[in-house]
């Protein structure tokens, strides 16, 4: 083959040098941009030192400029309203459940998710929210209504909203609304499958449990397309692409006539639905009251930049929601740059309030609804390995909030206020039930006596049970956990009575078994 010409040789050398320089720069840039939340915390993942927590694709392997803001990067494109810009800011932790999965980093046990020395996992019980999705129809229509009004105004937008002049909606067909996302680094389909692989890696020994080999492993999903799809993609990751040969997915209807035999008690608790003061509607009402405290300043800034276009609270809220939803579809969003960090802290807290008062500790129906699944799961742990090793349930975030409330694990001493943001609060929606959020109960057997303990893993952060953390790895002795759940049941009362159901309505969950 003839030698390359001098020109080609120069081009090759220059190209190689450019690639090498870019690689050096990118490596330096990536190291500077890694947020605190992905520092090595989960050591000894198995028998070896594992550097860092097990993630989906590494966060800094995707170009996502909004992920980290530093004081040196405080530019006009990021909310011209001003406000302090802090180091190690990660927008994914402030989307109030409207964004992709993130690890729980607040109030977690040091030492990570590795099984404590001298212990083995006998059972795994998981309640998981569906994976990343497009907006619901109600939320999506609010976004479309906002964008239509902006276009019909014929205004050439300036300042923080200048990008809207050339921006396109992040879904092309309304049939995509409410369904899992399938693009970008935060794809819901990818996340579901990856979660299955990750848990198979953690609990592969339980797949060989004699009980799991006797017949197909049952797992459960509430009757919603996005929830069912999440379970199916998870099944492919956990059991393999031919998962239906090894497992059976049971769909639990989201009907009002199921009483206590349900994964979605918010659909069956009649009084919760009808009580406009203390039931479901308490959440949206309380959130709107808080929202009104921080929206005026945003409205004033955007109006000053774009005279003639005054936005309502609902419209500003829709803009903040689009930050999270577009990020799950495209990997980033210009809408995140419209607001300051403080404005997103307010948005995050508004979302905390919404779920706290809608289905959490802020409604008197929360704990009695959540106790159903918690009690059924406790009974399986008391039965022990003979009941089977694996129990996976897939639901909505509105079903996780009641269970967490009944568990009494992140409940604050006082109800969340609407006058200010309590920075030390435990109830943080983004870290407990982001899209793909999961709460895992591990039944541990430890020591030569094979004593049993319960450990709670919330989004890869081990979280202690208050006043019950004396076991290995800050776990809770099973007997104490049993007594705790029993006392909670006596405290909250009977589901059928509290929800105003007739005597024929089922009182408890019966389907949760292998």
């Amino acid at each position: 083959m003839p030698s390359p010409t001098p020109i080609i040789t120069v081009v090759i050398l220059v190209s190689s040098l450019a690639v090498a320089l870019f690689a050096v720069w990118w490596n330096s840039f990536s190291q500077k941009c890694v947020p605190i939340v992905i520092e090595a915390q989960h050591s000894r993942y198995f028998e070896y030192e594992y550097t860092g927590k097990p993630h989906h694709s590494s966060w800094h392997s995707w170009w996502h400029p909004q992920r980290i803001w530093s004081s040196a990067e405080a530019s006009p494109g990021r909310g011209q309203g001003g406000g302090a810009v802090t180091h190690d800011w990660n927008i994914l932790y402030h989307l109030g459940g409207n964004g992709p999965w993130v690890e729980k980093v607040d109030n977690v046990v040091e030492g990570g998710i590795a099984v404590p020395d001298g212990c083995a996992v006998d059972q795994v019980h998981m309640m998981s929210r569906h994976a990343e999705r497009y907006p619901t129809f109600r939320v999506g229509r609010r976004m479309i209504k906002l964008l239509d009004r902006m276009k019909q105004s014929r205004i050439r937008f300036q300042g923080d909203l200048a990008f809207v002049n050339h921006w396109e909606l992040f879904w092309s067909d309304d049939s995509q609304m409410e369904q899992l996302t399938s693009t970008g680094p935060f794809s819901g389909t990818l996340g579901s499958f990856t979660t299955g692989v990750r848990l198979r890696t953690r609990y592969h020994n339980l797949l060989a449990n004699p009980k799991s080999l006797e017949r197909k492993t049952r797992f459960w999903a509430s009757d919603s397309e996005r929830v069912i799809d999440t379970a199916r993609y998870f099944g492919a990751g956990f059991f393999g692409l031919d998962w239906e040969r090894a497992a059976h997915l049971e769909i639990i209807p989201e009907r009002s006539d199921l009483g206590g035999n349900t994964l979605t008690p918010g659909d069956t608790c009649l009084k919760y639905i009808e009580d406009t003061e203390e039931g479901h509607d308490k959440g949206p009402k309380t959130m709107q009251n808080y929202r009104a405290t921080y929206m005026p300043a945003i409205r004033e800034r955007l109006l000053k930049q774009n005279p003639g276009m005054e936005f309502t609270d609902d419209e500003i809220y829709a803009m903040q929601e689009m930050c999270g939803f577009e990020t799950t579809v495209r990997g980033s969003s210009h809408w995140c740059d419209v607001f300051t960090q403080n404005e997103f802290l307010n948005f995050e807290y508004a979302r905390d309030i919404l779920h706290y008062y809608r289905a959490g500790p802020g409604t008197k129906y929360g704990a009695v609804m959540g106790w159903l699944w918690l009690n059924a799961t406790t009974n399986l742990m008391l039965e022990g390995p003979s009941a089977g090793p694996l129990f996976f349930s897939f639901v909505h975030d509105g079903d996780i909030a009641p269970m967490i409330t009944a568990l009494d694990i992140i409940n604050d001493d006082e109800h969340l206020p609407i006058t200010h943001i309590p920075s030390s609060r435990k109830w943080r929606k983004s870290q407990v039930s982001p899209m793909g959020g999961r709460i895992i109960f591990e039944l541990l057997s430890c020591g030569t006596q094979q004593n049993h303990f319960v450990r709670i893993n919330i989004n890869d952060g081990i979280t202690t049970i208050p006043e019950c953390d004396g076991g290995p790895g800050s776990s809770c002795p099973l007997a104490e956990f049993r007594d705790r759940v029993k006392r909670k049941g006596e405290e909250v009362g009977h589901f059928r009575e509290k929800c105003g159901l007739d005597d024929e309505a089922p009182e408890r969950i019966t389907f949760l078994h292998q």
Side-chain angles (χ1 to χ4, degrees), residues 174-195:
D174 284 356
S175 65
Q176 293 176 292
M177 285 195 281
E178 303 200 349
Q179 306 307 312
L180 297 185
T181 60
S182 58
T183 58
F186 308 113
S187 159
T189 54
L190 172 63
S192 303
F193 179 82
T194 303
T195 298

Side-chain angles (χ1 to χ4, degrees), residues 121-315:
V121 178
D122 283 349
Q123 274 184 351
V124 173
H125 303 264
M126 179 178 75
M127 176 179 278
S128 175
R129 185 187 179 191
H130 59 74
E132 290 82 355
R133 61 163 170 79
Y134 288 90
T136 61
F137 285 109
R138 178 180 57 82
V139 174
R141 286 170 183 146
R142 182 165 65 227
M143 295 174 179
I144 292 173
K145 184 178 179 181
L146 162 66
L147 295 170
D148 285 346
R149 190 165 87 88
M150 293 178 74
K151 289 180 179 179
Q152 291 169 8
S153 70
R154 305 295 182 183
I155 292 175
R156 178 97 181 153
F157 287 95
Q158 305 293 326
D160 295 330
L161 297 176
F163 74 93
V164 178
N165 298 316
H166 306 287
W167 184 81
E168 297 293 337
L169 192 62
F170 50 94
W171 70 87
S172 57
D173 188 328
D174 284 356
S175 65
Q176 293 176 292
M177 285 195 281
E178 303 200 349
Q179 306 307 312
L180 297 185
T181 60
S182 58
T183 58
F186 308 113
S187 159
T189 54
L190 172 63
S192 303
F193 179 82
T194 303
T195 298
V197 173
R198 293 167 72 175
L199 295 198
R200 180 187 179 92
T201 306
R202 264 178 233 177
Y203 306 120
H204 61 92
N205 60 302
L206 296 181
L207 283 169
N209 183 295
K211 187 73 175 181
S212 68
L213 299 176
E214 291 176 6
R215 54 180 177 271
K216 291 184 177 182
T217 299
R218 290 152 54 98
F219 63 125
W220 301 267
S222 65
D223 193 7
S224 166
E225 189 171 351
R226 61 183 176 273
V227 178
I228 295 170
D229 286 346
T230 298
R232 287 172 172 164
Y233 278 100
F234 171 89
F238 189 86
F239 298 104
L241 291 179
D242 57 348
W243 64 269
E244 291 179 295
R245 298 179 59 181
H248 170 67
L249 178 60
E250 184 172 339
I251 311 302
I252 307 302
E254 297 183 354
R255 295 201 318 261
S256 60
D257 61 344
L258 295 185
N261 196 24
T262 180
L263 283 176
T264 52
D267 293 326
T268 66
C269 185
L270 186 61
K271 284 188 176 180
Y272 170 70
I273 298 170
E274 295 178 343
D275 189 341
T276 57
E277 295 299 320
E278 289 294 327
H280 176 278
D281 292 348
K282 185 178 182 181
K285 289 179 180 178
T286 309
M287 184 272 286
Q288 289 170 6
N289 289 336
Y290 173 75
R291 194 176 68 177
T293 66
Y294 78 92
M295 291 289 186
I298 299 174
R299 178 163 39 252
E300 181 180 351
R301 181 179 83 246
L302 297 180
L303 180 60
K304 184 177 180 180
Q305 294 174 2
N306 299 279
M309 176 62 76
E310 184 170 357
F311 296 103
T312 67
D313 284 2
D314 271 354
E315 290 173 332

Side-chain angles (χ1 to χ4, degrees), residues 341-502:
Q341 288 184 16
N342 284 336
E343 288 163 354
F344 265 114
L345 291 177
N346 279 298
F347 173 74
E348 174 194 10
Y349 188 60
R351 298 283 301 169
D352 289 347
I353 284 179
L354 170 64
H355 290 270
Y356 183 92
Y357 287 101
R358 187 177 75 178
T363 169
K364 66 181 183 181
Y365 301 97
V368 72
M369 294 191 297
W371 191 81
L372 294 171
W373 189 90
L374 180 61
N375 181 57
T377 295
T378 302
N379 289 334
L380 290 168
M381 288 192 282
L382 292 171
E383 192 175 341
S386 63
L390 301 167
F391 299 85
F392 302 126
S393 300
F394 294 86
V395 294
H396 304 272
D397 55 351
D399 308 307
I400 291 178
M403 189 276 289
I404 284 289
T405 301
L407 185 59
D408 201 21
I409 196 170
I410 61 169
N411 297 356
D412 292 282
D413 294 335
E414 298 180 357
H415 285 316
L416 297 184
I418 63 170
T419 55
H420 64 282
I421 301 176
S423 58
S424 61
R425 70 190 183 281
K426 298 177 184 177
W427 187 272
R428 293 178 184 270
K429 162 72 173 166
S430 293
Q431 293 191 37
V432 176
S433 55
M435 294 189 195
R438 52 188 177 269
I439 290 82
I440 296 175
F441 295 69
E442 293 177 335
L443 178 64
L444 305 176
S445 58
C446 304
T448 57
Q449 300 298 317
Q450 295 294 287
N451 295 318
H452 286 99
F453 301 86
V454 180
R455 192 171 72 149
I456 310 297
N457 180 336
I458 301 178
N459 297 321
D460 284 1
I462 302 301
T463 306
T464 59
I465 300 172
E467 300 178 0
C468 191
D469 58 355
S474 298
S475 59
C476 176
L478 178 59
E480 293 182 32
F481 185 81
R482 173 202 62 202
D483 293 343
R484 182 187 182 91
V485 173
K486 181 180 178 181
R487 287 195 302 271
K488 193 67 175 182
E490 295 169 350
E491 173 189 323
V492 302
H494 296 290
F495 180 83
R496 190 162 50 200
E497 176 186 350
K498 293 293 183 179
C499 292
L501 306 181
D502 59 45

Side-chain angles (χ1 to χ4, degrees), residues 8-84:
I8 295 177
T9 302
V10 171
V11 170
I12 293 173
L13 289 172
V14 171
S15 299
S16 300
L17 180 60
V19 170
L21 289 172
F22 178 80
V24 171
W25 172 85
W26 180 255
N27 182 62
S28 174
F29 174 82
S30 298
Q31 291 176 355
K32 292 177 181 178
C33 285
V34 176
I36 284 177
V37 295
I38 64 171
E39 288 179 353
Q41 295 180 31
H42 288 342
S43 60
R44 296 181 58 256
Y45 183 44
F46 289 114
E47 295 78 26
Y48 54 89
E49 284 294 319
Y50 188 89
T51 56
K53 297 181 181 182
H55 294 283
H56 299 294
S57 55
S58 176
W59 287 355
H60 62 285
S61 69
W62 293 85
W63 175 243
H64 190 333
Q66 286 113 0
R67 233 177 257 143
I68 312 300
W69 293 356
S70 70
S71 56
E73 295 173 318
S75 64
R78 293 187 173 121
Q80 294 181 14

